[in-house]
Amino acid sequence: MKSTQPDPESQLREPALVVRGLSKTFYRRGGQPVRAAQDISFSVPEGRIVGLLGPNGAGKSTTIKCILGLVEPDEGEVEVFGTDAARHRRQALSMMSAVLEGSRNIYWRLTPRENMEFFCSLQGHEPSQHREYIEQLLELLNLSEAASQPVRELSQGMKQKVSIGCALARRTPLLFLDEPTLGLDVETTYQMRTLLRELATRQHRTVVISSHDMKVVQSVCSRVIIIKDGRVVADDRTENLLELFRRRTYTLELSGELPEEADRRLRSEFDNVDIKVLSHRTELSVEAARSEELYRLVDILREAGMAIEGIAGEQPDLEKAFLQIIADKTFCGQSREATK
Amino acid sequence: MTWTIFKGMFRKTAITLTRYAFNTGSQIVTFYIVFCLIFFGARALGGAVDMGETLEGILVGYFVWMLAIMAYSDLSWHVANEAQMGTLEQMYLSPAGFHWVNAAYLLSNLIINLIILSILLALMILTTGQRVVLDLVSIVPLLLLTVAPAYGIGMIMGGMALIYKRVQSSFQILQFVFIAFISVPIGRYPLVRFLPLAQGNYLLRQVMIGGARLWELTGSDLLVVMGVAAVYLGLGILIFRRCERVTRSRGLLGQY
């Protein structure tokens, strides 16, 4: 199981972010050293949304903080739109903003508008010259009505949107969102997905999302980087990762009993074949990865003279792919080839 | 960029102060009550408590002491508070650098503190009937040089706050240490002038009570106050930067 296909579009686009050999070990007094990031390398093309996935403690947040310069890496290089982030930190920071996990990121005594204006000024932009943009942001985030209300009076979802708004108010081309949908309800999460897509398509922002919410990642990210134990174990287009795990289980309802020869062929050519003979009909479960395999299955059944009365399949999703990659010990360390 | 950051920071500080109006008001009232207790207590004891050589000395000393407390606690309070609010990392993401964001914060607070202290000084003068010379041309530079070491100590505390987050309990001790620095008579113990606040307070008394102008003070006196300011501020900046490096290396910036 290895990831894989280079992204042809990515190769054409200018990289917004290039990370090379990033490593960070934390030394705790009286405890074992924690290798939070080990030789992490990846690049993010401009105008794309890339997902950073991994179980808790995998090293996602450390990686993001190392890129942002909030944590000093032991080794490695970070380039932001061609600028060496370690040597030209100010220039690199002028192109990056972030919403960080576990932090409130905003001032609860201030209103959403005041927060956005403050963070706009923190980036060196004069808020009076960006007032129209801030109003657009408030509208985009459905915060116009609450724009003059202190943040502490807003719901969790709205606070999260204010945090994202503040990062956007900095007007940087590269944005990091660490768990942007954490604690949000279904409706707000859906709005967030729409917003993220708009950021990439309409505002041409490059977004790196770290999230546990596979649905969000699957629906908005064109590429996914999976980190496990501080290492990149998969780095590919979302659709390619899904394709890797596209082995769908099909359940077919057949009239009559399956002949012995067909039974033998199915078991030899397909994985996880399960045949249940019921009264006057047969229920066949089989795993098939590609459409050609499904056609071959239908051919075998037709040659055996079986009539297919019904067919049902289970869709693959990123969550299953992610869980399989994380569970597969052999995956770890193989991905260096894949990410090159 | 730094001017924009300063304006943004000043606006945020001013808004926060008005939203915490009760806290701001009670801070002024507390300072005023403490001053009244010290001043009238000293008068009643007939000068047995020495916060300067005269009652005007108490007034000047108390003014310097308040500004020093505000100065040194501002930075460490800022760091601890921003870490608690989860906005400290956002400050570090400013392309201007945290030192400029911090400078903007300190300057904003200094301006607001001076406004508050001016009100308090007026109240204190009205209450006590004592007269001081308010020659701003001489007072402002001296005042800045006097509190500079307090900012240096604030930087050291701020650096500690970056690593340990909660350092406020040491504030109380420092308040009393500062009283000692201000009240020890320099004439009797000359080496004391090299401690924070001492020489500045001594010169401010000459200006505000004795009516001396800045250029009438002796060169060696001015040199000492400038040297003390530079050394303590420099030391504070050095230690703060060292603490910053430790914090970034250990990944402590976002923790509280």
Side-chain angles (χ1 to χ4, degrees):
Chain A
M1 207 165 29
K2 194 189 279 187
S3 148
T4 73
Q5 300 293 312
D7 179 355
E9 241 186 284
S10 302
Q11 289 173 335
L12 292 174
R13 292 182 184 221
E14 197 71 17
L17 174 69
V18 179
V19 178
R20 284 191 214 99
L22 199 76
S23 299
K24 179 70 193 175
T25 302
F26 291 113
Y27 297 93
R28 307 283 182 222
R29 209 170 283 167
Q32 290 286 319
V34 179
R35 302 182 79 185
Q38 299 180 60
D39 197 20
I40 286 183
S41 299
F42 62 86
S43 68
V44 179
E46 193 180 348
R48 290 298 189 84
I49 307 180
V50 170
L52 214 54
L53 290 181
N56 287 335
K60 305 183 296 292
S61 294
T62 302
T63 302
I64 289 177
K65 288 184 181 184
C66 283
I67 294 168
L68 291 166
L70 298 172
V71 170
E72 199 174 347
D74 300 328
E75 279 176 67
E77 290 170 22
V78 175
E79 270 180 29
V80 182
F81 291 97
T83 300
D84 185 327
R87 282 188 191 170
H88 308 284
R89 185 168 150 74
R90 285 182 177 200
Q91 205 184 328
L93 281 177
S94 69
M95 296 181 275
M96 297 191 283
S97 57
V99 175
L100 298 163
E101 188 219 347
S103 290
R104 278 161 37 171
N105 295 287
I106 48 170
Y107 298 95
W108 286 18
R109 290 271 163 181
L110 304 187
T111 67
R113 187 182 283 115
E114 287 165 351
N115 264 294
M116 286 184 195
E117 284 177 354
F118 174 70
F119 285 104
C120 180
S121 69
L122 210 53
Q123 199 69 14
H125 304 311
E126 191 61 59
S128 58
Q129 288 168 15
H130 297 267
R131 206 145 272 160
E132 200 181 325
Y133 174 70
I134 288 170
E135 292 307 315
Q136 281 173 7
L137 276 182
L138 287 165
E139 204 174 314
L140 183 73
L141 293 158
N142 281 330
L143 288 168
S144 296
E145 281 182 31
S148 304
Q149 221 175 318
V151 168
R152 67 175 191 278
E153 293 172 11
L154 305 181
S155 68
Q156 181 60 31
M158 286 173 110
K159 281 175 187 152
Q160 187 72 354
K161 285 201 270 189
V162 176
S163 296
I164 293 173
C166 288
L168 291 173
R170 289 174 171 236
R171 305 203 79 158
T172 58
L174 177 58
L175 179 66
F176 292 87
L177 301 174
D178 201 355
E179 296 290 355
T181 56
L182 198 70
L184 299 188
D185 58 29
V186 179
E187 195 190 345
T188 318
T189 303
Y190 181 77
Q191 285 173 3
M192 203 64 82
R193 280 193 232 171
T194 314
L195 169 73
L196 291 172
R197 277 194 222 103
E198 281 192 17
L199 286 178
T201 53
R202 277 171 52 180
Q203 298 195 18
H204 309 292
R205 308 270 186 129
T206 307
V207 186
V208 177
I209 301 178
S210 155
S211 180
H212 282 99
D213 193 333
M214 300 293 164
K215 287 196 176 88
V216 169
V217 174
Q218 190 176 338
S219 68
V220 301
C221 297
S222 57
R223 217 172 98 222
V224 172
I225 296 160
I226 299 179
I227 297 180
K228 180 189 171 188
D229 298 330
R231 288 180 185 277
V232 173
V233 292
D235 175 359
D236 210 333
R237 295 180 72 171
T238 312
E239 61 205 62
N240 289 348
L241 274 178
L242 287 172
E243 190 60 39
L244 274 174
F245 301 94
R246 202 170 281 282
R247 298 195 71 80
R248 293 172 63 170
T249 301
Y250 292 95
T251 306
L252 296 94
E253 292 278 341
L254 308 170
S255 62
E257 207 172 307
L258 195 69
E260 224 173 273
E261 173 59 17
D263 186 319
R264 192 189 55 75
R265 279 186 70 189
L266 286 174
R267 288 185 194 278
S268 66
E269 290 186 33
F270 292 92
D271 291 332
N272 295 329
V273 177
D274 184 31
I275 301 168
K276 283 181 194 156
V277 181
L278 309 165
S279 59
H280 307 298
R281 65 189 179 90
T282 303
E283 193 181 278
L284 168 66
S285 287
V286 64
E287 260 191 21
R290 292 174 195 83
S291 52
E292 305 91 75
E293 284 184 304
L294 187 63
Y295 293 137
R296 200 164 75 247
L297 171 71
V298 173
D299 285 345
I300 293 170
L301 294 172
R302 200 193 304 131
E303 283 166 25
M306 301 299 292
I308 301 169
E309 292 183 345
I311 186 164
E314 198 185 331
Q315 282 289 347
D317 63 21
L318 192 60
E319 188 164 0
K320 283 181 191 143
F322 170 74
L323 289 172
Q324 275 187 264
I325 289 172
I326 291 302
D328 188 350
K329 286 194 173 71
T330 58
F331 218 93
C332 192
Q334 291 183 359
S335 64
R336 303 262 33 92
E337 295 302 316
T339 54
K340 280 177 183 169
Chain B
M1 180 184 279
T2 43
W3 174 240
T4 308
I5 292 173
F6 166 72
K7 280 197 291 180
M9 193 62 87
F10 186 82
R11 190 162 174 263
K12 180 182 84 77
T13 311
I15 292 170
T16 311
L17 271 181
T18 52
R19 301 257 157 93
Y20 285 111
F22 181 76
N23 188 50
T24 312
S26 54
Q27 189 188 8
I28 295 171
V29 171
T30 308
F31 272 131
Y32 177 68
I33 291 172
V34 172
F35 171 74
C36 287
L37 287 173
I38 294 172
F39 184 86
F40 292 111
R43 197 153 72 174
L45 289 169
V49 177
D50 190 10
M51 260 195 82
E53 288 157 11
T54 61
L55 290 175
E56 289 98 326
I58 292 177
L59 203 143
V60 175
Y62 190 73
F63 181 73
V64 171
W65 181 63
M66 278 189 300
L67 194 61
I69 289 173
M70 287 173 169
Y72 94 83
S73 61
D74 270 351
L75 180 63
S76 39
W77 171 249
H78 181 218
V79 169
N81 204 31
E82 297 286 343
Q84 191 176 14
M85 287 194 294
T87 44
L88 186 62
E89 286 172 314
Q90 293 295 335
M91 301 275 157
Y92 270 89
L93 291 181
S94 172
F98 184 68
H99 50 287
W100 282 115
V101 175
N102 225 352
Y105 174 82
L106 293 178
L107 188 59
S108 306
N109 270 34
L110 177 66
I111 292 168
I112 289 166
N113 288 344
L114 283 174
I115 293 169
I116 292 173
L117 287 179
S118 302
I119 297 167
L120 266 169
L121 187 66
L123 273 175
M124 285 169 357
I125 290 170
L126 281 173
T127 312
T128 60
Q130 301 295 317
R131 292 283 171 266
V132 288
V133 181
L134 293 173
D135 169 21
L136 292 181
V137 178
S138 300
I139 291 172
V140 173
L142 260 185
L143 205 56
L144 292 177
L145 285 169
T146 305
V147 293
Y151 279 110
I153 294 170
M155 289 263 181
I156 297 170
M157 299 299 291
M160 296 295 138
L162 275 179
I163 299 172
Y164 303 108
K165 311 303 177 197
R166 281 176 181 264
V167 290
Q168 288 91 327
S169 54
S170 55
F171 283 9
Q172 272 102 14
I173 303 164
L174 272 173
Q175 284 177 24
F176 295 112
V177 173
F178 280 179
I179 291 177
F181 289 163
I182 290 168
S183 57
V184 175
I186 280 181
R188 212 176 304 162
Y189 308 103
L191 283 179
V192 167
R193 70 181 69 226
F194 297 108
L195 292 172
L197 307 177
Q199 175 79 358
N201 182 56
Y202 167 71
L203 295 182
L204 272 171
R205 282 215 309 267
Q206 288 189 26
V207 170
M208 291 175 80
I209 301 165
R213 314 297 298 268
L214 185 64
W215 47 92
E216 290 166 4
L217 301 171
T218 63
S220 61
D221 276 347
L222 284 173
L223 213 61
V224 169
V225 80
M226 283 191 278
V228 167
V231 167
Y232 284 98
L233 197 59
L235 192 69
I237 291 169
L238 273 177
I239 292 176
F240 187 81
R241 288 199 169 168
R242 174 78 191 137
C243 292
E244 266 186 324
R245 274 202 294 278
V246 170
T247 307
R248 283 179 61 224
S249 171
R250 293 189 197 165
L252 300 171
L253 213 51
Q255 293 178 10
Y256 187 74

